[in-house]
Amino acid sequence: MPYEDNLTAERPTFVTHLECAATGERHAADVVHNLSRAGKPLLVRYDLAGVRNALAKDALARRAPDLWRYRELLPVRRAADIVSLGEVMTPLIRLPRLAARLGAGELLVKDEGRLPTGSFKARGLVLAVSMAKALGIRHMAMPTNGNAGAALAAYATRTGIRSTIFCPDDTPEVNVSEIELQGATVYRVNGLIDDCGRIVGEGKAKAGWFDTSTLREPYRIEGKKTMGLELAEQLDWQLPDVIFYPTGGGTGLIGMWKAFAELAAIGFIGAKRPRMVAVQAEGCAPMVRAFEAGTEHATRVADAHTIASGIRVPQAIGDFLILRAVRESGGFAIAVADDAIVAAIEEVARQEGFLMCPETAATYAAFKQSLADGRVGRHERAVLFNCATGLKYPLPAVARRLDLTKPIDYAAL
Ligand SMILES: Cc1ncc(COP(=O)(O)O)c(C=O)c1O
Protein backbone atom coordinates (compact mmCIF):
# COMPACT_ATOMS: atom_id res chain seq x y z
CA MET A 1 0.00 0.00 0.00
CA PRO A 2 1.45 3.43 -0.98
CA TYR A 3 2.50 5.31 2.16
CA GLU A 4 0.31 8.31 1.31
CA ASP A 5 -2.91 6.35 0.83
CA ASN A 6 -4.42 7.48 4.13
CA LEU A 7 -3.95 11.10 3.06
CA THR A 8 -5.36 10.80 -0.44
CA ALA A 9 -8.01 8.05 -0.50
CA GLU A 10 -11.61 9.16 -0.02
CA ARG A 11 -13.09 7.06 2.77
CA PRO A 12 -16.61 7.09 4.18
CA THR A 13 -17.14 9.38 7.19
CA PHE A 14 -19.75 8.96 9.90
CA VAL A 15 -20.14 12.17 11.92
CA THR A 16 -23.81 12.69 12.72
CA HIS A 17 -23.72 15.72 15.04
CA LEU A 18 -21.96 17.40 17.95
CA GLU A 19 -23.28 16.95 21.46
CA CYS A 20 -23.04 19.21 24.51
CA ALA A 21 -20.94 17.28 27.06
CA ALA A 22 -23.05 18.65 29.91
CA THR A 23 -26.64 18.69 28.62
CA GLY A 24 -26.52 16.26 25.68
CA GLU A 25 -28.12 18.89 23.41
CA ARG A 26 -27.47 18.23 19.69
CA HIS A 27 -25.59 20.76 17.56
CA ALA A 28 -25.21 20.55 13.77
CA ALA A 29 -22.06 19.03 12.27
CA ASP A 30 -20.04 20.75 9.52
CA VAL A 31 -20.47 24.32 10.78
CA VAL A 32 -18.09 26.42 12.91
CA HIS A 33 -18.51 25.84 16.65
CA ASN A 34 -16.78 26.70 19.88
CA LEU A 35 -18.67 25.85 23.08
CA SER A 36 -22.22 24.50 23.19
CA ARG A 37 -25.20 26.78 23.77
CA ALA A 38 -24.86 25.88 27.47
CA GLY A 39 -21.24 27.13 27.44
CA LYS A 40 -19.72 23.63 27.74
CA PRO A 41 -17.43 21.52 25.50
CA LEU A 42 -18.93 19.88 22.42
CA LEU A 43 -18.19 16.23 21.64
CA VAL A 44 -18.33 14.81 18.11
CA ARG A 45 -20.77 11.91 17.69
CA TYR A 46 -20.65 9.26 14.97
CA ASP A 47 -22.97 6.71 13.45
CA LEU A 48 -21.06 3.91 15.16
CA ALA A 49 -23.25 1.18 13.66
CA GLY A 50 -22.19 2.54 10.27
CA VAL A 51 -18.52 2.50 11.29
CA ARG A 52 -18.96 -1.07 12.50
CA ASN A 53 -20.15 -2.13 9.03
CA ALA A 54 -17.53 -0.11 7.14
CA LEU A 55 -14.37 -0.91 9.08
CA ALA A 56 -12.82 -4.29 9.84
CA LYS A 57 -9.72 -4.95 11.92
CA ASP A 58 -7.86 -6.67 9.08
CA ALA A 59 -8.53 -3.79 6.64
CA LEU A 60 -7.25 -1.38 9.26
CA ALA A 61 -4.13 -3.48 9.77
CA ARG A 62 -3.23 -3.09 6.08
CA ARG A 63 -3.27 0.73 6.18
CA ALA A 64 -0.17 2.91 6.54
CA PRO A 65 0.86 3.42 10.19
CA ASP A 66 -0.31 6.96 10.85
CA LEU A 67 -3.11 8.82 12.59
CA TRP A 68 -5.19 9.02 9.41
CA ARG A 69 -5.67 5.24 9.32
CA TYR A 70 -8.64 5.87 11.67
CA ARG A 71 -10.52 8.09 9.17
CA GLU A 72 -13.88 6.43 9.83
CA LEU A 73 -13.66 7.59 13.46
CA LEU A 74 -12.47 11.11 12.58
CA PRO A 75 -14.46 14.19 11.52
CA VAL A 76 -12.60 15.28 8.34
CA ARG A 77 -14.92 14.51 5.41
CA ARG A 78 -12.74 15.20 2.34
CA ALA A 79 -9.19 13.98 1.80
CA ALA A 80 -8.35 17.39 0.29
CA ASP A 81 -8.81 18.99 3.73
CA ILE A 82 -6.27 16.73 5.44
CA VAL A 83 -3.24 18.71 6.55
CA SER A 84 -0.28 16.54 7.40
CA LEU A 85 3.32 16.70 8.51
CA GLY A 86 3.57 12.91 8.95
CA GLU A 87 1.60 11.97 12.09
CA VAL A 88 3.29 8.63 12.64
CA MET A 89 1.98 5.87 14.87
CA THR A 90 4.13 6.27 17.99
CA PRO A 91 5.98 3.30 19.48
CA LEU A 92 5.39 1.64 22.83
CA ILE A 93 8.73 1.46 24.62
CA ARG A 94 9.23 -1.09 27.37
CA LEU A 95 11.10 -0.09 30.56
CA PRO A 96 12.14 -3.59 31.68
CA ARG A 97 15.07 -2.69 33.90
CA LEU A 98 13.08 -0.23 36.00
CA ALA A 99 10.07 -2.55 36.14
CA ALA A 100 12.30 -5.35 37.47
CA ARG A 101 13.96 -3.04 40.01
CA LEU A 102 10.62 -1.78 41.28
CA GLY A 103 9.06 -5.25 41.33
CA ALA A 104 6.43 -4.04 38.89
CA GLY A 105 4.60 -5.84 36.10
CA GLU A 106 4.96 -4.59 32.54
CA LEU A 107 5.81 -0.88 32.23
CA LEU A 108 5.34 0.73 28.81
CA VAL A 109 5.80 4.28 27.58
CA LYS A 110 3.99 5.51 24.49
CA ASP A 111 6.53 7.87 23.00
CA GLU A 112 4.64 10.82 21.60
CA GLY A 113 7.86 12.78 21.18
CA ARG A 114 8.14 11.21 17.70
CA LEU A 115 5.26 13.26 16.33
CA PRO A 116 5.64 16.43 14.23
CA THR A 117 6.68 19.40 16.41
CA GLY A 118 7.91 16.88 18.99
CA SER A 119 4.74 16.46 21.03
CA PHE A 120 1.32 14.85 21.18
CA LYS A 121 -0.22 18.27 20.64
CA ALA A 122 0.26 17.52 16.93
CA ARG A 123 -2.57 14.98 17.15
CA GLY A 124 -5.10 17.52 18.35
CA LEU A 125 -3.95 20.41 16.24
CA VAL A 126 -3.73 18.48 12.98
CA LEU A 127 -7.43 17.73 13.40
CA ALA A 128 -8.30 21.28 14.51
CA VAL A 129 -6.50 22.82 11.54
CA SER A 130 -7.84 20.29 9.01
CA MET A 131 -11.37 21.06 10.22
CA ALA A 132 -10.62 24.81 10.16
CA LYS A 133 -9.57 24.40 6.53
CA ALA A 134 -12.76 22.46 5.76
CA LEU A 135 -14.90 25.13 7.45
CA GLY A 136 -13.13 28.15 5.92
CA ILE A 137 -11.61 29.59 9.13
CA ARG A 138 -8.93 32.21 8.33
CA HIS A 139 -7.38 33.25 11.66
CA MET A 140 -6.81 30.94 14.64
CA ALA A 141 -5.76 32.12 18.10
CA MET A 142 -4.69 30.11 21.11
CA PRO A 143 -3.42 30.27 24.70
CA THR A 144 -0.63 27.74 25.22
CA ASN A 145 1.94 26.45 27.68
CA GLY A 146 4.17 25.87 24.62
CA ASN A 147 3.70 22.60 22.80
CA ALA A 148 0.17 23.20 21.57
CA GLY A 149 1.16 26.60 20.20
CA ALA A 150 4.05 25.03 18.30
CA ALA A 151 1.73 22.48 16.72
CA LEU A 152 -0.89 25.10 15.82
CA ALA A 153 1.78 27.33 14.26
CA ALA A 154 3.14 24.51 12.11
CA TYR A 155 -0.18 23.22 10.79
CA ALA A 156 -1.80 26.64 10.35
CA THR A 157 1.17 27.93 8.37
CA ARG A 158 1.14 24.83 6.19
CA THR A 159 -2.53 25.47 5.46
CA GLY A 160 -2.24 29.22 4.85
CA ILE A 161 -4.26 30.11 7.97
CA ARG A 162 -3.03 32.96 10.19
CA SER A 163 -2.23 32.10 13.80
CA THR A 164 -1.78 34.29 16.86
CA ILE A 165 -0.55 32.67 20.05
CA PHE A 166 -0.25 33.75 23.70
CA CYS A 167 1.89 31.99 26.29
CA PRO A 168 2.90 32.64 29.92
CA ASP A 169 6.13 34.64 30.37
CA ASP A 170 8.19 31.66 31.51
CA THR A 171 7.20 29.27 28.69
CA PRO A 172 10.33 27.30 27.64
CA GLU A 173 12.41 29.36 25.20
CA VAL A 174 12.43 26.59 22.60
CA ASN A 175 8.62 26.62 22.43
CA VAL A 176 8.40 30.38 21.91
CA SER A 177 11.08 30.22 19.21
CA GLU A 178 9.56 27.30 17.35
CA ILE A 179 6.14 28.96 17.38
CA GLU A 180 7.55 32.16 15.84
CA LEU A 181 9.78 30.35 13.37
CA GLN A 182 6.88 28.21 12.18
CA GLY A 183 5.03 31.31 11.06
CA ALA A 184 2.78 32.33 13.95
CA THR A 185 2.74 35.62 15.83
CA VAL A 186 3.53 34.82 19.45
CA TYR A 187 3.29 36.98 22.60
CA ARG A 188 4.62 36.28 26.07
CA VAL A 189 2.07 37.35 28.70
CA ASN A 190 2.75 38.14 32.37
CA GLY A 191 0.10 35.71 33.57
CA LEU A 192 -0.91 32.05 33.44
CA ILE A 193 -2.54 30.07 30.63
CA ASP A 194 -6.06 31.05 31.66
CA ASP A 195 -5.04 34.73 31.51
CA CYS A 196 -3.84 34.04 27.96
CA GLY A 197 -7.18 32.33 27.31
CA ARG A 198 -9.03 35.50 28.32
CA ILE A 199 -7.07 37.49 25.70
CA VAL A 200 -8.07 34.97 23.05
CA GLY A 201 -11.72 35.20 24.15
CA GLU A 202 -11.63 39.00 23.82
CA GLY A 203 -9.86 38.77 20.45
CA LYS A 204 -12.60 36.46 19.28
CA ALA A 205 -15.25 39.04 20.22
CA LYS A 206 -13.34 42.10 18.99
CA ALA A 207 -11.31 40.86 16.02
CA GLY A 208 -13.11 37.71 14.88
CA TRP A 209 -10.33 35.25 15.74
CA PHE A 210 -11.25 31.61 15.98
CA ASP A 211 -10.70 30.41 19.57
CA THR A 212 -8.59 27.24 19.37
CA SER A 213 -8.32 26.72 23.18
CA THR A 214 -8.46 23.22 24.62
CA LEU A 215 -12.06 21.94 24.61
CA ARG A 216 -13.42 25.30 23.40
CA GLU A 217 -12.64 23.87 19.97
CA PRO A 218 -14.41 20.55 19.29
CA TYR A 219 -11.87 18.65 17.16
CA ARG A 220 -8.60 18.68 19.12
CA ILE A 221 -10.08 15.99 21.35
CA GLU A 222 -10.81 13.85 18.27
CA GLY A 223 -7.12 14.00 17.39
CA LYS A 224 -6.04 13.18 20.93
CA LYS A 225 -8.50 10.29 20.87
CA THR A 226 -6.20 8.54 18.41
CA MET A 227 -3.77 7.87 21.29
CA GLY A 228 -6.39 5.48 22.65
CA LEU A 229 -7.17 3.96 19.24
CA GLU A 230 -3.49 3.37 18.55
CA LEU A 231 -2.77 2.00 21.99
CA ALA A 232 -5.60 -0.53 21.68
CA GLU A 233 -4.48 -1.63 18.21
CA GLN A 234 -0.82 -1.91 19.25
CA LEU A 235 -1.77 -4.12 22.19
CA ASP A 236 -3.83 -6.37 19.91
CA TRP A 237 -7.09 -4.86 21.20
CA GLN A 238 -6.35 -5.75 24.85
CA LEU A 239 -6.30 -2.53 26.87
CA PRO A 240 -3.73 -2.22 29.67
CA ASP A 241 -4.66 -2.38 33.35
CA VAL A 242 -3.78 1.21 34.13
CA ILE A 243 -2.86 4.42 32.27
CA PHE A 244 -0.95 7.27 33.93
CA TYR A 245 -1.67 10.52 32.11
CA PRO A 246 -0.10 13.95 32.85
CA THR A 247 -3.21 16.08 33.11
CA GLY A 248 -3.44 19.75 32.26
CA GLY A 249 -6.51 20.61 30.19
CA GLY A 250 -7.22 16.89 30.09
CA THR A 251 -7.96 16.51 26.39
CA GLY A 252 -5.88 13.36 26.09
CA LEU A 253 -7.47 11.63 29.05
CA ILE A 254 -10.99 12.54 27.98
CA GLY A 255 -10.17 11.68 24.37
CA MET A 256 -8.83 8.24 25.20
CA TRP A 257 -11.85 7.47 27.35
CA LYS A 258 -14.05 8.44 24.38
CA ALA A 259 -11.91 6.28 22.08
CA PHE A 260 -12.43 3.21 24.25
CA ALA A 261 -16.21 3.71 24.26
CA GLU A 262 -16.25 4.04 20.47
CA LEU A 263 -14.03 0.96 20.01
CA ALA A 264 -16.39 -1.05 22.21
CA ALA A 265 -19.40 0.21 20.22
CA ILE A 266 -17.87 -0.96 16.93
CA GLY A 267 -17.00 -4.33 18.46
CA PHE A 268 -13.20 -3.95 18.42
CA ILE A 269 -12.73 -4.35 22.20
CA GLY A 270 -14.62 -5.99 25.05
CA ALA A 271 -15.72 -4.57 28.39
CA LYS A 272 -12.29 -4.26 30.02
CA ARG A 273 -11.09 -0.68 30.51
CA PRO A 274 -7.88 0.62 32.03
CA ARG A 275 -8.00 2.58 35.28
CA MET A 276 -7.30 6.16 34.21
CA VAL A 277 -4.93 7.99 36.55
CA ALA A 278 -4.74 11.79 36.27
CA VAL A 279 -1.26 12.91 37.28
CA GLN A 280 -0.62 16.50 38.34
CA ALA A 281 2.14 18.46 40.08
CA GLU A 282 1.75 19.39 43.75
CA GLY A 283 2.00 23.09 42.83
CA CYS A 284 -0.98 22.81 40.48
CA ALA A 285 -3.32 19.96 41.33
CA PRO A 286 -6.94 21.12 40.93
CA MET A 287 -8.10 17.70 39.67
CA VAL A 288 -6.49 15.88 42.59
CA ARG A 289 -8.17 18.19 45.10
CA ALA A 290 -11.56 17.79 43.39
CA PHE A 291 -11.16 14.02 43.10
CA GLU A 292 -10.37 13.75 46.78
CA ALA A 293 -13.20 16.09 47.76
CA GLY A 294 -15.66 14.08 45.64
CA THR A 295 -16.84 17.15 43.72
CA GLU A 296 -17.90 17.35 40.08
CA HIS A 297 -15.93 20.52 39.34
CA ALA A 298 -12.50 21.77 40.41
CA THR A 299 -11.62 25.07 42.06
CA ARG A 300 -9.04 27.33 40.36
CA VAL A 301 -5.53 27.10 41.83
CA ALA A 302 -4.44 30.64 42.67
CA ASP A 303 -0.68 30.30 42.81
CA ALA A 304 -0.07 27.56 40.21
CA HIS A 305 3.58 26.57 39.91
CA THR A 306 5.56 23.58 38.65
CA ILE A 307 8.52 22.92 36.38
CA ALA A 308 6.25 20.68 34.30
CA SER A 309 4.81 23.62 32.38
CA GLY A 310 2.48 21.50 30.21
CA ILE A 311 0.43 20.53 33.24
CA ARG A 312 0.38 23.99 34.83
CA VAL A 313 -3.29 24.57 34.13
CA PRO A 314 -4.98 26.22 37.14
CA GLN A 315 -8.51 25.66 35.84
CA ALA A 316 -9.81 23.39 33.07
CA ILE A 317 -13.13 23.84 31.29
CA GLY A 318 -13.36 20.07 30.92
CA ASP A 319 -12.80 19.43 34.65
CA PHE A 320 -16.07 17.49 34.99
CA LEU A 321 -15.17 15.30 32.01
CA ILE A 322 -11.72 14.49 33.42
CA LEU A 323 -13.20 13.63 36.82
CA ARG A 324 -16.00 11.62 35.25
CA ALA A 325 -13.56 9.51 33.18
CA VAL A 326 -11.24 8.93 36.15
CA ARG A 327 -14.15 7.86 38.39
CA GLU A 328 -15.93 5.72 35.80
CA SER A 329 -12.68 3.88 35.12
CA GLY A 330 -12.07 3.14 38.81
CA GLY A 331 -8.87 5.19 38.60
CA PHE A 332 -7.64 8.06 40.75
CA ALA A 333 -5.86 11.42 40.67
CA ILE A 334 -2.43 11.90 42.21
CA ALA A 335 0.01 14.79 42.67
CA VAL A 336 3.81 14.59 42.76
CA ALA A 337 6.43 17.09 43.92
CA ASP A 338 8.73 18.91 41.50
CA ASP A 339 11.83 17.33 43.03
CA ALA A 340 10.33 13.88 42.40
CA ILE A 341 9.85 14.95 38.75
CA VAL A 342 13.51 16.00 38.43
CA ALA A 343 14.65 12.76 40.06
CA ALA A 344 12.41 10.73 37.75
CA ILE A 345 13.85 12.32 34.58
CA GLU A 346 17.32 11.36 35.75
CA GLU A 347 16.42 7.87 36.92
CA VAL A 348 14.70 6.87 33.68
CA ALA A 349 17.37 8.44 31.45
CA ARG A 350 20.26 6.84 33.33
CA GLN A 351 18.65 3.42 33.76
CA GLU A 352 16.82 2.99 30.47
CA GLY A 353 18.37 5.53 28.09
CA PHE A 354 14.96 7.15 27.68
CA LEU A 355 14.70 10.92 28.04
CA MET A 356 11.26 11.85 29.36
CA CYS A 357 9.70 15.30 29.31
CA PRO A 358 8.99 16.63 32.85
CA GLU A 359 5.23 15.99 32.53
CA THR A 360 5.87 12.33 31.80
CA ALA A 361 8.49 12.12 34.50
CA ALA A 362 5.62 13.13 36.80
CA THR A 363 3.72 10.04 35.64
CA TYR A 364 6.72 7.83 36.36
CA ALA A 365 7.02 9.30 39.86
CA ALA A 366 3.28 8.77 40.35
CA PHE A 367 3.55 5.19 39.09
CA LYS A 368 6.30 4.43 41.62
CA GLN A 369 4.28 5.97 44.42
CA SER A 370 1.16 4.01 43.43
CA LEU A 371 3.06 0.74 43.18
CA ALA A 372 4.47 1.31 46.64
CA ASP A 373 1.09 2.12 48.22
CA GLY A 374 -0.68 -0.77 46.44
CA ARG A 375 -2.89 1.26 44.12
CA VAL A 376 -1.11 -0.49 41.24
CA GLY A 377 -0.66 -4.25 41.46
CA ARG A 378 2.68 -5.96 40.93
CA HIS A 379 1.47 -7.99 37.95
CA GLU A 380 -0.31 -5.22 36.14
CA ARG A 381 0.47 -3.74 32.74
CA ALA A 382 0.85 0.03 33.03
CA VAL A 383 1.23 2.63 30.29
CA LEU A 384 2.72 6.11 30.68
CA PHE A 385 2.50 8.75 27.94
CA ASN A 386 5.69 10.57 26.97
CA CYS A 387 3.84 13.59 25.67
CA ALA A 388 6.81 15.50 24.26
CA THR A 389 10.41 14.79 23.44
CA GLY A 390 12.64 15.37 26.45
CA LEU A 391 14.96 17.33 24.15
CA LYS A 392 12.62 20.33 24.23
CA TYR A 393 13.42 21.09 27.87
CA PRO A 394 16.45 22.60 29.60
CA LEU A 395 18.93 19.83 30.38
CA PRO A 396 21.67 19.74 33.04
CA ALA A 397 24.99 21.22 31.92
CA VAL A 398 28.01 18.90 31.63
CA ALA A 399 31.26 20.31 33.03
CA ARG A 400 33.66 17.50 32.01
CA ARG A 401 36.29 18.72 29.47
CA LEU A 402 39.45 17.47 27.80
CA ASP A 403 42.40 19.82 27.35
CA LEU A 404 44.21 19.08 24.08
CA THR A 405 47.36 20.88 25.24
CA LYS A 406 47.94 18.16 27.86
CA PRO A 407 48.50 14.41 27.46
CA ILE A 408 45.29 12.40 27.81
CA ASP A 409 45.30 9.71 30.49
CA TYR A 410 43.05 7.22 28.67
CA ALA A 411 43.00 4.74 31.51
CA ALA A 412 41.41 7.39 33.75
CA LEU A 413 38.64 8.37 31.32
C1 LIG B 1 4.28 17.84 27.50
C2 LIG B 1 2.85 17.98 27.94
N1 LIG B 1 2.31 17.06 28.74
C3 LIG B 1 1.03 17.14 29.15
C4 LIG B 1 0.20 18.18 28.78
C5 LIG B 1 -1.23 18.19 29.25
O1 LIG B 1 -2.06 17.69 28.25
P1 LIG B 1 -3.66 17.75 28.33
O2 LIG B 1 -4.06 19.13 27.91
O3 LIG B 1 -4.14 16.68 27.37
O4 LIG B 1 -4.06 17.43 29.73
C6 LIG B 1 0.72 19.16 27.95
C7 LIG B 1 -0.13 20.28 27.55
O5 LIG B 1 0.32 21.40 27.33
C8 LIG B 1 2.07 19.06 27.50
O6 LIG B 1 2.60 20.00 26.69
Side-chain angles (χ1 to χ4, degrees), residues 27 47 75 112 137-138 206 215 237-238 276 282 321 346 371 386 388:
H27 292 61
D47 164 18
E112 298 283 295
I137 290 168
R138 303 298 316 145
K206 294 185 176 146
L215 290 171
W237 309 109
Q238 299 296 318
M276 305 296 286
E282 277 178 3
L321 296 173
E346 181 147 346
L371 191 70
N386 190 45

Side-chain angles (χ1 to χ4, degrees), residues 30 49 78 81 98 125 134 185 222 238 258 274 291 300 364:
D30 305 307
R78 299 183 319 138
D81 292 322
L98 287 172
L125 272 309
T185 308
E222 294 304 292
Q238 299 296 318
K258 184 172 188 284
F291 178 78
R300 183 176 193 270
Y364 176 71

Side-chain angles (χ1 to χ4, degrees), residues 119-121 144-148 193 214 220 224 227 245-254 309-313 322 357-360 385-389 393:
S119 89
F120 69 169
K121 296 290 178 181
T144 182
N145 277 325
N147 288 321
I193 190 164
T214 300
R220 286 175 64 179
K224 285 278 195 88
M227 288 191 291
Y245 186 80
T247 306
T251 341
L253 193 149
I254 302 164
S309 49
I311 51 175
R312 195 179 57 179
V313 177
I322 299 170
C357 66
E359 295 77 6
T360 303
F385 278 80
N386 190 45
C387 303
T389 168
Y393 299 82

Side-chain angles (χ1 to χ4, degrees), residues 390-402:
L391 293 172
K392 277 199 176 192
Y393 299 82
L395 299 173
V398 176
R400 211 174 294 121
R401 283 209 150 68
L402 277 183

Side-chain angles (χ1 to χ4, degrees), residues 52-352:
R52 193 183 180 119
N53 288 330
L55 188 63
K57 283 182 185 174
D58 55 345
L60 189 59
R62 286 193 295 274
R63 293 183 183 171
D66 66 32
L67 172 153
W68 297 103
R69 70 202 265 111
Y70 304 110
R71 262 304 273 302
E72 286 84 348
L73 286 169
L74 293 174
V76 179
R77 304 266 194 205
R78 299 183 319 138
D81 292 322
I82 293 178
V83 181
S84 177
L85 285 163
E87 296 69 35
V88 293
M89 212 166 179
T90 61
L92 280 170
I93 314 284
R94 214 176 285 279
L95 301 183
R97 192 175 295 170
L98 287 172
R101 249 180 48 167
L102 298 172
E106 193 178 12
L107 181 56
L108 299 168
V109 184
K110 191 155 169 61
D111 188 12
E112 298 283 295
R114 317 289 178 107
L115 284 160
T117 70
S119 89
F120 69 169
K121 296 290 178 181
R123 292 185 188 271
L125 272 309
V126 77
L127 259 295
V129 174
S130 296
M131 288 305 292
K133 182 178 176 190
L135 299 172
I137 290 168
R138 303 298 316 145
H139 190 166
M140 302 174 84
M142 180 200 265
T144 182
N145 277 325
N147 288 321
L152 174 59
Y155 288 113
T157 294
R158 200 165 168 78
T159 319
I161 294 177
R162 237 178 109 184
S163 56
T164 306
I165 292 169
F166 303 89
C167 57
D169 248 345
D170 59 351
T171 298
E173 196 60 47
V174 64
N175 289 132
V176 185
S177 303
E178 63 178 327
I179 292 170
E180 179 82 13
L181 197 57
Q182 285 162 182
T185 308
V186 58
Y187 296 91
R188 291 182 184 273
V189 176
N190 56 344
L192 290 174
I193 190 164
D194 51 355
D195 299 308
C196 298
R198 265 191 298 280
I199 300 174
V200 171
E202 279 178 34
K204 176 183 161 166
K206 294 185 176 146
W209 303 341
F210 179 74
D211 184 348
T212 319
S213 311
T214 300
L215 290 171
R216 287 177 189 271
E217 184 288 334
Y219 304 107
R220 286 175 64 179
I221 182 174
E222 294 304 292
K224 285 278 195 88
K225 179 178 89 177
T226 61
M227 288 191 291
L229 303 177
E230 257 181 47
L231 180 66
E233 190 177 2
Q234 285 171 313
L235 295 177
D236 202 19
W237 309 109
Q238 299 296 318
L239 295 177
D241 298 302
V242 58
I243 288 177
F244 282 76
Y245 186 80
T247 306
T251 341
L253 193 149
I254 302 164
M256 279 193 276
W257 196 240
K258 184 172 188 284
F260 301 150
E262 290 173 0
L263 286 176
I266 65 169
F268 277 28
I269 61 170
K272 183 187 165 181
R273 297 282 182 282
R275 304 197 299 291
M276 305 296 286
V277 180
V279 179
Q280 300 201 299
E282 277 178 3
C284 182
M287 295 306 141
V288 182
R289 305 290 162 257
F291 178 78
E292 285 168 358
T295 55
E296 196 193 354
H297 291 279
T299 310
R300 183 176 193 270
V301 173
D303 170 33
H305 58 93
T306 167
I307 57 158
S309 49
I311 51 175
R312 195 179 57 179
V313 177
Q315 188 161 39
I317 190 164
D319 56 357
F320 64 109
L321 296 173
I322 299 170
L323 291 161
R324 193 185 292 167
V326 168
R327 288 181 178 128
E328 276 177 16
S329 74
F332 54 94
I334 177 170
V336 297
D338 273 10
D339 52 5
I341 295 176
V342 173
I345 294 175
E346 181 147 346
E347 183 179 341
V348 179
R350 289 193 185 281
Q351 295 293 321
E352 296 277 11

